[in-house]
Amino acid sequence: MKYILTLLTLLALCGCGNNSQIEQELYQAGQFMRSAPESALSIIEGIAPEDITRRSTRAKYALLYSQALDKNYVDADDDSLMRIAYRYYDKRMCSDSVRFLLNYHYGRIHQNGDDFQEAIRYYLTAEKYALSAHKNYFLGLVYIRIGEVYADQMNYPGMLEYYQKAYNAWKKLRNPMFGNSAILNIANAYSSMGDTDNAVKYYSTALEQAKQEGDDDTAVACLSNLGTIYVNEGDYPKALQAVKEIERISPEDLDINEYMILSKAYYLQHKIDSARYYFNLASELAEDVRDEAQLVYLSLQIETAAGNFKNAAALIDEYIRLSDSISRMIVSQSATVAEGKFYKEQTAFASYRLKVRSHFEFVFGGLICIVIVFLIYYYRERMKRKQEQVERYMSAIDNIRASKDHIIEHLADKKDRLKELVLSRFDILDQLGRAFYERDNTKAQQETIYKQVKNFFTDLSSNTATRKELEGIINMVNDNIIVKLREQFPKIKTSDIDLLIFCYAGFSAQIISVIIDDSVSNIYTRKSRLKTRISTSDVPDKELFLRHLP
């Protein structure tokens, strides 16, 4: 027993020694993260994940590894690393800076996977922690990412808003490179919005600062974008000068954009052969459908300038096809998750996940059993809370559905009341008409009734606008019955339509005879003939027509 205890102690001391060394390496990587991210990533990749014994060290390793990948422009969209860090820090006290990094890197994972809705949610949470931590660097970083999401969704005003927020945060750091990077992004936003004046202004500012700081990458980006603006405005001397400046700064950095600038500049000078030469160089560097669309449009311009209108006409169809593809891609990008996950930089940690058991499981078996029981209890409680949350959501959905049904019933009741109100107006007029037609009133009484209905009947018999208004009312309260009648009986006479309008309005045969100046017997005969015609037909709304025909 004494030897066993000694062996266990030695194993524990060895594990603690390895863990202390790993902690030191992670601390060193954290120091290099902002100034030398390549070195930070190299240090972290040199750590064997299976040697990490403490959960706190594993969480720190996962968080720093995710941060190093992002700093080195490795766009990971797998959250296997972040899940480890998130599970550890989620229920523990930690700084606002750590909370920021957790949410920021989860946002990066969703952004890289084109899940922009989730990315924005995590970024806004990260912004809250950056504000709490009073970290302007973090604020600028998350604002840049939100601006990128808006740029991908072609929301250029939102893009400009967040790039300006990033600039306001980073200029407080008094780091010229950070501030200049934000100025370049603001220029890109103005360029995307078509505001070339402001775009040129900010590109020029960023270019001057980049030259002062010796930042060749930013300088080349500014010159490239300025060249594009100049050549699109037809100022090819300035465009060519911008490309020459790029060649002077970095002769090997000419890309598809610069070759397209050269091609446009030469076709504007009617140097078609040179334009085609640089067009071919640009074509070899096309990477996606957007590049292809720009190249097809450039080819269209070149062929038009060369007078090859037949080729130009063919290119128009191709450009329309590519434009449609881009439009569909943009519309569906919020619902489509990119396939082909990027796992290269995470293979080391994947091997760690496969090694569930280690020598500590055999040494501390009893302790592991306790941990397993605790985890089972913890996750059962968590699942219980999730289930309760789902039930609350389902209850809310049921309430919404009940509210919807109530609203529909309320609207139906309103419609019936409207119909009753409108038709009651016709009943009153019909009663007045009956009194005018049937009763042997005194001359004064007849004169009174006559004056009440004279204008209405005169309008109905001779005024087309009044009859159209009546027809509109009948359609409104009787499910567009006259519209359907005209559609389903295209050969019906106009006089028969007029008769049916008065019938559907609820007027008696006597009143209708007064309106259209015909005998009552003829009214009955025509109405009977129309009813027979409708009843013997096979039109879809036959029941509707007969139900409202008295």
Side-chain angles (χ1 to χ4, degrees):
M1 184 67 180
K2 180 179 179 181
Y3 292 112
I4 293 174
L5 292 174
T6 303
L7 179 60
L8 293 176
T9 303
L10 289 173
L11 288 173
L13 289 174
C14 290
C16 291
N18 288 338
N19 208 77
S20 298
Q21 181 181 354
I22 292 171
E23 286 278 358
Q24 182 62 32
E25 291 175 349
L26 291 176
Y27 174 79
Q28 186 178 9
Q31 295 298 307
F32 287 144
M33 191 63 68
R34 191 178 298 184
S35 59
E38 300 90 349
S39 300
L41 181 59
S42 178
I43 292 172
I44 295 172
E45 288 181 333
I47 298 173
E50 60 269 19
D51 292 340
I52 304 175
T53 57
R54 293 180 183 172
R55 288 190 64 198
S56 60
T57 307
R58 286 201 300 269
K60 187 181 297 182
Y61 167 85
L63 187 56
L64 285 172
Y65 198 176
S66 298
Q67 193 174 359
L69 290 174
D70 185 53
K71 288 289 184 182
N72 286 276
Y73 306 103
V74 178
D75 296 331
D77 56 8
D78 182 2
D79 68 343
S80 56
L81 278 172
M82 285 305 304
R83 279 203 308 270
I84 295 168
Y86 205 91
R87 287 173 181 172
Y88 179 79
Y89 291 112
D90 187 34
K91 302 299 181 182
R92 286 174 169 79
M93 294 291 295
C94 60
S95 67
D96 289 330
S97 295
V98 172
R99 297 285 185 200
F100 168 84
L101 292 172
L102 290 171
N103 286 279
Y104 170 79
H105 287 294
Y106 250 124
R108 290 289 293 138
I109 289 168
H110 286 294
Q111 182 182 356
N112 294 333
D114 292 338
D115 188 355
F116 298 128
Q117 184 176 358
E118 282 297 297
I120 289 292
R121 186 172 70 85
Y122 279 106
Y123 284 151
L124 293 178
T125 305
E127 178 194 15
K128 178 183 69 174
Y129 288 116
L131 289 169
S132 299
H134 304 288
K135 297 284 188 179
N136 288 311
Y137 173 73
F138 287 165
L139 276 175
L141 200 61
V142 75
Y143 289 151
I144 286 292
R145 299 308 180 193
I146 295 176
E148 290 174 353
V149 171
Y150 284 139
D152 287 335
Q153 294 182 324
M154 302 182 74
N155 181 355
Y156 300 130
M159 172 187 176
L160 175 62
E161 175 189 354
Y162 276 93
Y163 282 160
Q164 288 174 331
K165 286 185 176 182
Y167 173 73
N168 292 333
W170 276 352
K171 73 179 180 181
K172 297 176 184 177
L173 301 175
R174 297 181 181 178
N175 185 320
M177 293 190 68
F178 288 153
N180 204 30
S181 173
I183 292 173
L184 175 59
N185 286 326
I186 291 172
N188 290 335
Y190 277 120
S191 179
S192 298
M193 294 170 66
D195 188 347
T196 55
D197 291 339
N198 276 314
V200 170
K201 171 187 171 183
Y202 281 94
Y203 281 135
S204 300
T205 302
L207 177 60
E208 291 303 318
Q209 293 191 20
K211 288 179 178 179
Q212 293 176 9
E213 299 297 327
D215 185 358
D216 290 343
D217 291 338
T218 301
V220 167
C222 292
L223 287 166
S224 179
N225 288 308
L226 283 170
T228 300
I229 292 174
Y230 291 146
V231 79
N232 287 337
E233 291 180 343
D235 192 350
Y236 60 83
K238 284 187 177 180
L240 291 173
Q241 183 60 38
V243 175
K244 288 180 181 179
E245 186 69 12
I246 293 172
E247 290 178 322
R248 186 188 64 78
I249 295 173
S250 182
E252 304 298 326
D253 279 350
L254 290 185
D255 61 13
I256 183 173
N257 193 51
E258 281 78 58
Y259 288 131
M260 289 178 66
I261 292 172
L262 291 171
S263 181
K264 290 180 182 180
Y266 282 116
Y267 97 73
L268 287 173
Q269 301 177 73
H270 301 289
K271 297 178 180 180
I272 303 303
D273 291 338
S274 297
R276 285 177 174 158
Y277 170 75
Y278 287 110
F279 173 82
N280 292 332
L281 292 178
S283 299
E284 295 175 0
L285 300 176
E287 294 181 352
D288 54 31
V289 67
R290 298 187 184 188
D291 290 342
E292 292 177 12
Q294 291 182 356
L295 287 168
V296 169
Y297 184 69
L298 176 57
S299 179
L300 168 63
Q301 292 175 310
I302 293 172
E303 296 302 327
T304 302
N308 297 328
F309 300 111
K310 183 176 180 181
N311 292 340
L315 289 168
I316 291 175
D317 293 335
E318 178 65 12
Y319 180 71
I320 292 173
R321 183 186 68 81
L322 291 171
S323 297
D324 289 342
S325 299
I326 294 172
S327 299
R328 287 193 296 270
M329 178 182 66
I330 292 171
V331 169
S332 63
Q333 64 187 354
S334 60
T336 305
V337 179
E339 297 181 351
K341 302 290 185 179
F342 186 81
Y343 291 107
K344 183 178 180 181
E345 270 66 17
Q346 301 182 19
T347 53
F349 208 85
S351 64
Y352 169 77
R353 299 204 324 266
L354 293 175
K355 296 178 180 179
V356 178
R357 294 184 179 181
S358 64
H359 58 283
F360 284 99
E361 293 178 359
F362 298 101
V363 176
F364 301 103
L367 178 61
I368 291 175
C369 290
I370 294 174
V371 171
I372 291 173
V373 171
F374 171 75
L375 289 176
I376 291 173
Y377 172 78
Y378 170 76
Y379 281 109
R380 286 188 63 183
E381 289 297 315
R382 187 172 181 177
M383 290 175 64
K384 182 179 178 181
R385 290 196 297 271
K386 289 289 184 183
Q387 183 63 32
E388 291 174 353
Q389 187 178 22
V390 170
E391 290 176 357
R392 289 197 300 270
Y393 288 159
M394 293 303 296
S395 177
I397 291 172
D398 291 338
N399 289 336
I400 291 172
R401 287 174 177 169
S403 298
K404 177 184 175 183
D405 293 339
H406 176 72
I407 290 170
I408 292 174
E409 292 174 0
H410 185 66
L411 289 175
D413 180 62
K414 289 288 186 183
K415 182 178 178 182
D416 291 341
R417 291 175 61 187
L418 174 63
K419 180 176 179 180
E420 180 181 352
L421 179 63
V422 173
L423 292 180
S424 66
R425 179 189 174 193
F426 295 151
D427 289 340
I428 293 170
L429 291 170
D430 186 64
Q431 291 171 12
L432 291 172
R434 288 175 183 272
F436 174 73
Y437 186 87
E438 296 174 352
R439 296 180 182 178
D440 294 329
N441 298 306
T442 66
K443 184 175 181 180
Q445 291 173 332
Q446 289 180 348
E447 184 69 21
T448 300
I449 297 172
Y450 178 77
K451 288 180 180 179
Q452 291 180 19
V453 298
K454 176 183 177 182
N455 291 335
F456 180 76
F457 287 147
T458 301
D459 281 349
L460 287 182
S461 62
S462 60
N463 193 322
T464 304
T466 302
R467 195 169 304 182
K468 285 291 184 182
E469 180 183 1
L470 176 62
E471 181 178 339
I473 294 172
I474 298 303
N475 282 323
M476 180 179 66
V477 300
N478 287 322
D479 194 17
N480 284 329
I481 191 168
I482 302 301
V483 174
K484 294 178 180 179
L485 191 68
R486 293 182 190 276
E487 291 176 352
Q488 297 174 27
F489 291 95
K491 296 182 179 180
I492 194 169
K493 296 179 181 178
T494 303
S495 59
D496 289 339
I497 289 288
D498 291 340
L499 175 61
L500 289 172
I501 288 173
F502 297 132
C503 290
Y504 289 141
F507 292 127
S508 63
Q510 292 84 355
I511 301 307
I512 296 173
S513 71
V514 173
I515 295 172
I516 65 175
D517 194 19
D518 198 356
S519 66
V520 175
S521 60
N522 283 343
I523 298 299
Y524 281 120
T525 301
R526 289 175 61 191
K527 188 163 69 170
S528 176
R529 176 177 55 81
L530 288 171
K531 185 179 292 188
T532 302
R533 181 179 177 182
I534 293 172
S535 62
T536 57
S537 68
D538 56 356
V539 295
D541 293 301
K542 178 170 66 175
E543 296 298 326
L544 173 67
F545 300 147
L546 293 174
R547 184 171 65 251
H548 293 285
L549 188 60

